Amino acid sequence: MEVRRHTKPTQVIGPFGEALSLADLPKNNMTRWVIRRKAEVVAAVNGGLLSLEEACARYDLSLEEFCSWQDTIDKSGLPGLRISYLSKYRTASS
């Protein structure tokens, strides 16, 4: 009897349609998060390249921070990850 083990993919499709591997992800000592880096980490988790726990530990993110990136991409796309955009959005909807 053969046991199938879930293996992680070696590459996933990145936020801009490019192949993304672990080597392509942002460095783990990231202090300045730009849109592209946030989107790459979200794409890596969504594609199974990293687990949510691995991403949070690797980048010292809280679960809430990562989920806010993921929710923002789902609701507003990549432009939503801009801090100025979020500030404008929050002000307009308050």
Side-chain angles (χ1 to χ4, degrees):
M1 181 171 153
E2 184 178 321
V3 176
R4 288 189 173 190
R5 296 179 191 251
H6 178 69
T7 58
K8 288 185 178 184
T10 57
Q11 291 184 332
V12 297
I13 302 299
F16 300 102
E18 77 285 10
L20 195 62
S21 68
L22 284 175
D24 300 320
L25 292 177
K27 303 295 180 213
N28 61 353
N29 58 353
M30 192 57 50
T31 56
R32 184 168 181 265
W33 285 98
V34 295
I35 293 169
R36 180 182 195 95
R37 293 178 189 143
K38 292 177 185 179
E40 287 173 343
V41 173
V42 171
V45 171
N46 289 344
L49 193 60
L50 286 175
S51 70
L52 176 58
E53 294 80 15
E54 289 170 329
C56 288
R58 180 176 179 157
Y59 297 110
D60 194 28
L61 301 172
S62 68
L63 179 61
E64 292 79 17
E65 185 173 17
F66 178 84
C67 289
S68 74
W69 294 354
Q70 199 169 38
D71 290 342
T72 300
I73 290 172
D74 291 344
K75 291 177 185 173
S76 305
L78 296 180
L81 290 173
R82 283 197 171 125
I83 297 300
S84 59
Y85 179 87
L86 288 177
S87 298
K88 180 180 174 184
Y89 177 75
R90 287 184 182 139
T91 303
S93 64
S94 299

